[in-house]
Amino acid sequence: DTGVSQNPRHKITKRGQNVTFRCDPISEHNRLYWYRQTLGQGPEFLTYFQNEAQLEKSRLLSDRFSAERPKGSFSTLEIQRTEQGDSAMYLCASSLGLAKNIQYFGAGTRLSVL
Amino acid sequence: GQSLEQPSEVTAVEGAIVQINCTYQTSGFYGLSWYQQHDGGAPTFLSYNGLDGLEETGRFSSFLSRSDSYGYLLLQELQMKDSASYFCAVRDRRDDKIIFGKGTRLHILP
């Protein structure tokens, strides 16, 4: 059990560019969640997967955001045509089911859009 | 919809006891949990209440009253390393999303 891994840890990009983040969950965890967190706020739900199926997507998420979990293992989150308002910490969490609402978080990818 | 309210900041003295309150509104409640996050770190799970009452885990305890839509996290024998942000979170039974509060920043004075 190596924990949830996210790459890259930091990403600096220019407005209008596309970025992609990767999350490797704890092995055998069937659920994978993406959150966005800004300074002084709690994690904001973006989307989640059960195995390879994307079950829920936040209504706040624009069409510029897309996520995949092609084989039910790692997941990618892509942001197209980045905007300065996308600057945030993007967190990934995984769980085996949701007993006691326990999620295991990765260290996150900090995105800065210039 | 869902919403959670918790104080933005709390200050306490090392060795003391502090309580962080959380009130919630959700369409389908499925448990209240608490997470701790140090600056620059990832949220880590602390405690969970699915039923009314008190759950104790070492220096940390958590309480839930479903009739009042209210819970709290109690931290005893505060240590400097407890300085962090604490988030309450609820799981919505309808769609299994976990919704987090905005967090309470705990400052501990020596």
Side-chain angles (χ1 to χ4, degrees):
Chain A
D1 183 349
T2 58
V4 178
S5 176
Q6 292 189 245
N7 289 288
R9 291 296 310 278
H10 303 275
K11 178 70 177 178
I12 300 174
T13 190
K14 293 182 178 179
R15 188 177 47 174
Q17 298 294 306
N18 299 342
V19 295
T20 300
F21 311 140
R22 176 177 171 128
C23 172
D24 288 89
I26 294 172
S27 59
E28 298 179 357
H29 277 192
N30 58 344
R31 292 196 177 206
L32 187 149
Y33 291 73
W34 285 100
Y35 294 89
R36 176 171 60 191
Q37 187 176 29
T38 54
L39 196 62
Q41 302 293 314
E44 176 190 18
F45 171 82
L46 295 178
T47 189
Y48 89 92
F49 294 83
Q50 179 157 301
N51 299 313
E52 65 273 12
Q54 188 173 16
L55 296 187
E56 191 72 22
K57 186 175 177 179
S58 171
R59 288 190 296 272
L60 302 175
L61 214 58
S62 77
D63 292 341
R64 297 185 296 106
F65 288 71
S66 62
E68 294 183 341
R69 194 183 184 198
K71 297 182 180 179
S73 57
F74 74 92
S75 175
T76 58
L77 177 69
E78 181 182 18
I79 309 174
Q80 297 182 326
R81 305 181 302 281
T82 52
E83 302 172 355
Q84 288 186 324
D86 297 331
S87 296
M89 176 72 83
Y90 290 84
L91 294 166
C92 173
S94 71
S95 67
L96 184 61
L98 259 186
K100 297 188 175 183
N101 297 351
I102 299 175
Q103 294 182 311
Y104 298 87
F105 281 83
T109 295
R110 181 167 296 284
L111 173 65
S112 297
V113 181
L114 305 179
Chain B
Q2 307 103 340
S3 66
L4 296 100
E5 294 290 330
Q6 53 182 128
S8 58
E9 290 186 275
V10 172
T11 300
V13 177
E14 189 177 15
I17 299 172
V18 71
Q19 179 174 312
I20 300 174
N21 299 321
C22 173
T23 57
Y24 61 86
Q25 285 187 327
T26 182
S27 307
F29 179 76
Y30 210 175
L32 181 73
S33 48
W34 291 90
Y35 285 77
Q36 177 192 59
Q37 187 178 31
H38 288 98
D39 285 347
T44 56
F45 173 83
L46 286 179
S47 188
Y48 169 80
N49 294 77
L51 301 174
D52 292 351
L54 192 67
E55 293 286 338
E56 297 180 73
T57 310
R59 294 187 298 114
F60 294 176
S61 304
S62 58
F63 172 82
L64 175 66
S65 169
R66 288 175 295 172
S67 61
D68 295 321
S69 298
Y70 163 76
Y72 66 72
L73 178 69
L74 192 73
L75 296 84
Q76 303 181 72
E77 301 172 18
L78 285 172
Q79 303 175 9
M80 296 304 292
K81 67 178 182 179
D82 297 329
S83 295
S85 292
Y86 293 84
F87 299 92
C88 57
V90 294
R91 176 181 169 194
D92 192 306
R93 185 185 288 270
R94 296 174 308 162
D95 53 22
D96 263 356
K97 288 191 299 187
I98 293 186
I99 306 301
F100 286 80
K102 293 186 176 181
T104 299
R105 179 88 178 188
L106 175 61
H107 303 279
I108 299 176
L109 305 176

